Amino acid sequence: MGLVGYNFGEILRSSRVFKGLTAVQLADGICSEEEIIQFEKEEKYPTIDQLFKIASKLEVELNHFFDITSTDTFNYAIAVTELIKNYKRERDYDAINEIIQKEQDNALFKHTSFKQFLVWHQGICTYYLEEDKLKSIDLLDQALAMSHHEQANMTEREIEILTSMAIIEKDSGNLDKSVELFQKALNQLTELPQVQDSSIWLRILYGLAQALSKLEKYEDSLIYCSKGIDNCIYEENMYLFGELHYQAGMNFIKLGIENKGKEYLEKAVMIFNLQKNEKYASLVKTEMEKLLKFC
């Protein structure tokens, strides 16, 4: 997302003054006072998360900061999709749903690509917020049908939608269907000449490893854990790195290879600590103590 050329600093300052807030008050809970001043001088620009929080505090819409005199409104739609992606990584489905409700009638999102993106994430939110799997899968099917034709190979976006279906099937306990969809997504991904977002490999490999482990196919699960870990190292990507080590550790312990399992679980704790993810580090420690207690 680029804010250069949108008179962003002037819009931010005038909005803050109109709201009667000091730079310190606006910064509270979002960033430092110095950064607000830098934003207003356009010496620096906020992340999309910071911008969303600033807009909420100023009680304005996100598009308020995109200069209405500019015709390049396409950047606004890109900014919204990036914000939704960030919240998806944090599993903040309430925040995603709020954005979807605000933007679904926006003319910008009538374009097939952006409309598909909203329907796709509406399907995800429907499952995790409403626990309505049938409606969720129906929305994901609708999103897929907007661009995919039965005989054609899938695009990267379509593979991501298929992966969302597989994850929902896994989380709802329909494990055989989940494995089938993950395998299809993996096969389709290998057909692409180039993958723009390497993290899709990791989502599929980790989801497949989880589903196979739940089916007690621990050795098969380990194959995909290993592939995922190797992918993280090759791509220099820490996304799901800790989770893959945790899943591998659990598999080894279930197979009775306690020393190897403990080694992977300790690595998972170390990775989560490096990522400052204290919640997951603590969960792995607790799980490790429970599992090894009976070994």
Side-chain angles (χ1 to χ4, degrees), residues 248-266:
M250 294 285 286
N251 288 330
F252 278 119
I253 287 173
K254 292 291 185 180
L255 288 167
I257 311 172
E258 289 87 8
N259 288 340
K260 197 76 172 173
K262 185 180 179 184
E263 178 187 330
Y264 272 87
L265 291 176
E266 286 174 344

Side-chain angles (χ1 to χ4, degrees), residues 69-101:
T69 63
S70 169
T71 58
D72 190 13
T73 52
F74 186 81
N75 275 353
Y76 172 69
I78 294 292
V80 171
T81 60
E82 288 301 313
L83 181 61
I84 288 174
K85 287 178 185 177
N86 285 353
Y87 281 128
K88 184 165 67 172
R89 281 192 288 271
E90 297 169 6
R91 297 179 176 87
D92 191 342
Y93 302 112
D94 284 310
I96 295 171
N97 189 54
E98 182 182 342
I99 295 167
I100 291 170
Q101 297 311 311

